[in-house]
Amino acid sequence: MDSRVCTVADFDAVLTEMLGEYVGDCAEAVARGVKRTTVHLRAETRATAPEADADGMYNGMKWPVNRGHLGQFRKSISYRFYNYGMSSKGVWYVKPPDHRLTHLLVNGHAVFAFGRPTGKRSAPDPFLAEACAGLPAYLEAAVRSEIGKIR
């Protein structure tokens, strides 16, 4: 931190300038914490997401997928980070064409047999809910860590 010499008349302007610098530094630290949290969510969901068997089965259900595409769901999980200056956000998403499968895996779906509904629903896979459960604590720790680096 640098030292500043000012008169009593200039005190409010100098204090405003110093606090403005600190607020900008804190906003950058929060953005770095949000990005770390988003990267962590992507890594955790990639590790725990269901993977198709060699015959195209997800959670015991057969999916009509191309043989060359099997096992690609985990690789399709991605994120985007947006920094707006004083605010930022991280967005977790799944790239096409697997984005349609995400909703069915997370929420479950109707079970069909021979093209007709059986009246049953498949069990949802909690991989996303479990990964999101620890995010508030992880975000707080990441932001505190980044703000602690400010001098």
Side-chain angles (χ1 to χ4, degrees):
M1 180 172 266
D2 58 349
S3 61
R4 299 176 191 228
V5 177
C6 68
T7 63
V8 174
D10 296 333
F11 180 73
D12 62 338
V14 172
L15 185 61
T16 302
E17 180 185 344
M18 290 174 62
L19 289 177
E21 291 174 10
Y22 181 71
V23 167
D25 292 343
C26 284
E28 290 173 7
V30 169
R32 288 191 302 270
V34 168
K35 187 169 185 175
R36 275 180 42 192
T37 304
T38 308
V39 169
H40 171 75
L41 177 63
R42 181 190 65 174
E44 191 169 336
T45 53
R46 275 188 174 181
T48 59
E51 192 169 351
D53 298 332
D55 58 357
M57 299 286 280
Y58 276 104
N59 286 345
M61 301 303 299
K62 177 95 169 136
W63 291 91
V65 294
N66 182 349
R67 285 248 183 252
H69 189 72
L70 289 176
Q72 297 295 313
F73 180 72
R74 288 182 177 188
K75 294 178 184 175
S76 297
I77 296 174
S78 188
Y79 77 95
R80 286 192 181 129
F81 177 72
Y82 301 96
N83 190 354
Y84 302 112
M86 294 302 280
S87 67
S88 59
K89 70 177 179 180
V91 178
W92 178 95
Y93 71 100
V94 179
K95 297 176 188 174
D98 293 322
H99 63 286
R100 296 178 295 236
L101 181 59
T102 306
H103 174 80
L104 299 174
L105 288 173
V106 171
N107 298 313
H109 56 84
V111 177
F112 288 79
F114 305 108
R116 296 179 182 228
T118 62
K120 298 178 182 176
R121 292 195 63 80
S122 69
D125 192 310
F127 79 98
L128 185 57
E130 290 172 355
C132 290
L135 283 186
Y138 188 89
L139 176 62
E140 181 181 350
V143 169
R144 284 181 186 267
S145 169
E146 293 295 332
I147 289 178
K149 296 175 184 176
I150 297 175
R151 295 194 180 235

